[in-house]
Amino acid sequence: MATLTNATAAAAAGVPKTAVVKPLPFISSRSLSFPSFKQSISSFKSLSLTKFPTLSPLECSPNPSPSPSPSSLKSRLRGGETLYGIFLLSFSPTLAEIAAFSGYDFVVIDMEHGPGGIHESLQMLRSLTQTNTPAIIRLPESSAAWAKKALDLGPQGIMFPMIDSAKDAKKAVSYCRFPPDGIRGSAHTVVRASNYGINEGYLSNYMEDLLIMCQVETVDGVKKVEDIAAVEGVDCIQMGPLDLSASVGYLWDPGHKKVKEVLRTAEKAVLKSDTKAGGGAFLGGFAMPNDPPEELGKRGYKMVSGAVDIGLFRNAAVEDVRKFKMSLNAGSDDDEGEDDKDSDEKYWSE
């Protein structure tokens, strides 16, 4: 059977001669070359920037030079700011978003007392991305395994509970650093902390922005708090008023005089450390009904946490029910219409 030429085949198919295209050369599987993901991004970014007027050359740089971020928690603390944050125990991404849009300087994702774990913490971090709100993950316990999994998610800070000595603090710092400076397990080529390996400068500056916080929550910890604050790598001492009150013997009375005395002793010891000289630690704490956030700020706390998401919702819900129950008892048919109008106006004004 005769073989049709390109022109003959085209004519038979009704295609004009001018549309005939030369046959493609044979391509073997060996000759196929697929660009890598990074090469594809590089090729895209090499296109004329006039087509993408919102991009600047700096924004198109895949590997910015490593340097500490001026907006990081560590930079702001070193600049003398007092930061205000909230603890998130519900592990609700929606409440995390609300907290971020509300303007908190930082949030603490609490794996110690909240029901969530690593997977839930990841969802919380993603919900905070839009506002670039710094997140600190509080570990359920001070261990290398928990620290490794939390740090791989890429939080800006990590909080270690129940640190009672300088030895405990040194271990905590070692959990955050790769060998030979520490014992953190390495998967930096694929984890979220390094933008899944896209940030090639991660190893050069991963410690610059990471805030390491050690919680002092017992009488033993208070006795050694000055030594803990002096450990190289410890950035902040976070006081734990409830556990401290329990350690002193007044679990139900964190405002007891003896608890206050122990707390003040710890505060003064931390404040003695010289953070401006590159050593020492900042003071952080959680406000209590007997010790509001503004008082912590006056006493030299630089990281003040004033609320818990669950507590805020609980208080609002209890008050909402209380108001409704009281309105049933205090209301009358005569002023029912006026009350409805006032309630409607109040609702929309809120």
Side-chain angles (χ1 to χ4, degrees):
M1 182 176 179
T3 304
L4 294 175
T5 64
N6 288 339
T8 305
V15 180
K17 292 183 179 181
T18 55
V20 176
V21 180
K22 294 182 179 180
L24 292 173
F26 175 73
I27 301 177
S28 68
S29 60
R30 289 172 176 262
S31 65
L32 290 174
S33 177
F34 296 99
S36 67
F37 179 62
K38 188 170 295 185
Q39 288 174 330
S40 299
I41 293 179
S42 179
S43 298
F44 173 77
K45 290 181 177 178
S46 68
L47 295 175
S48 174
L49 292 178
T50 57
K51 297 180 180 180
F52 306 95
T54 59
L55 294 178
S56 68
L58 178 61
E59 291 171 321
C60 290
S61 174
N63 300 312
S65 57
S67 60
S69 169
S71 62
S72 70
L73 293 175
K74 284 176 74 169
S75 294
R76 295 177 67 186
L77 288 170
R78 290 170 180 171
E81 291 189 54
T82 298
L83 308 179
Y84 188 61
I86 182 173
F87 272 58
L88 302 177
L89 270 71
S90 68
F91 280 82
S92 164
T94 299
L95 293 184
E97 278 189 317
I98 294 173
F101 285 124
S102 297
Y104 286 101
D105 294 309
F106 64 91
V107 302
V108 178
I109 300 172
D110 191 355
M111 286 201 301
E112 183 181 15
H113 293 295
I118 293 297
H119 177 73
E120 292 79 9
S121 294
L122 174 60
Q123 307 313 312
M124 296 286 281
L125 288 169
R126 285 173 172 162
S127 70
L128 298 167
T129 299
Q130 184 177 182
T131 58
N132 294 319
T133 301
I136 298 164
I137 293 182
R138 177 155 79 159
L139 303 180
E141 65 177 19
S142 296
S143 70
W146 276 111
K148 173 175 57 179
K149 293 184 76 66
L151 289 171
D152 282 351
L153 297 182
Q156 206 176 108
I158 185 167
M159 187 183 295
F160 292 92
M162 293 292 178
I163 300 298
D164 288 337
S165 66
K167 182 179 179 181
D168 291 344
K170 290 177 181 178
K171 285 184 178 179
V173 173
S174 73
Y175 301 156
C176 300
R177 295 177 174 177
F178 295 115
D181 301 317
I183 62 171
R184 178 182 171 186
S186 177
H188 59 87
T189 57
V190 292
V191 296
R192 185 177 186 270
S194 65
N195 297 339
Y196 304 100
I198 295 173
N199 178 11
E200 294 181 351
Y202 176 69
L203 291 181
S204 301
N205 64 1
Y206 76 98
M207 286 301 298
E208 283 297 325
D209 288 340
L210 179 64
L211 188 76
I212 299 178
M213 306 177 70
C214 289
Q215 284 194 268
V216 173
E217 308 176 83
T218 66
V219 173
D220 289 339
V222 170
K223 292 177 181 178
K224 302 292 180 63
V225 69
E226 193 169 348
D227 295 333
I228 296 171
V231 171
E232 190 273 327
V234 174
D235 299 302
C236 183
I237 300 296
Q238 173 80 12
M239 300 306 303
L242 284 179
D243 281 307
L244 184 58
S245 65
S247 180
V248 175
Y250 296 93
L251 174 61
W252 296 102
D253 190 8
H256 193 279
K257 180 180 179 180
K258 290 186 178 179
V259 178
K260 288 183 179 180
E261 290 176 354
V262 175
L263 183 61
R264 298 298 185 274
T265 298
E267 292 171 354
K268 292 176 181 177
V270 176
L271 292 173
K272 284 170 54 180
S273 61
D274 188 2
T275 55
K276 294 182 179 179
F282 296 98
L283 181 61
F286 193 87
M288 301 292 292
N290 64 287
D291 200 10
E294 55 269 21
E295 291 299 321
L296 297 186
K298 292 177 183 178
R299 296 206 305 273
Y301 282 76
K302 290 301 181 181
M303 296 193 73
V304 178
S305 298
V308 179
D309 58 351
I310 290 178
L312 287 176
F313 180 77
R314 176 204 62 211
N315 293 344
V318 170
E319 180 64 10
D320 183 53
V321 173
R322 185 190 70 82
K323 285 183 177 180
F324 178 76
K325 298 294 185 181
M326 289 184 64
S327 71
L328 294 179
N329 297 326
S332 65
D333 294 336
D334 294 336
D335 56 6
E336 181 178 355
E338 184 177 349
D339 287 345
D340 287 345
K341 180 180 179 181
D342 292 342
S343 298
D344 185 60
E345 289 179 352
K346 183 178 179 183
Y347 176 85
W348 289 112
S349 67
E350 291 177 344

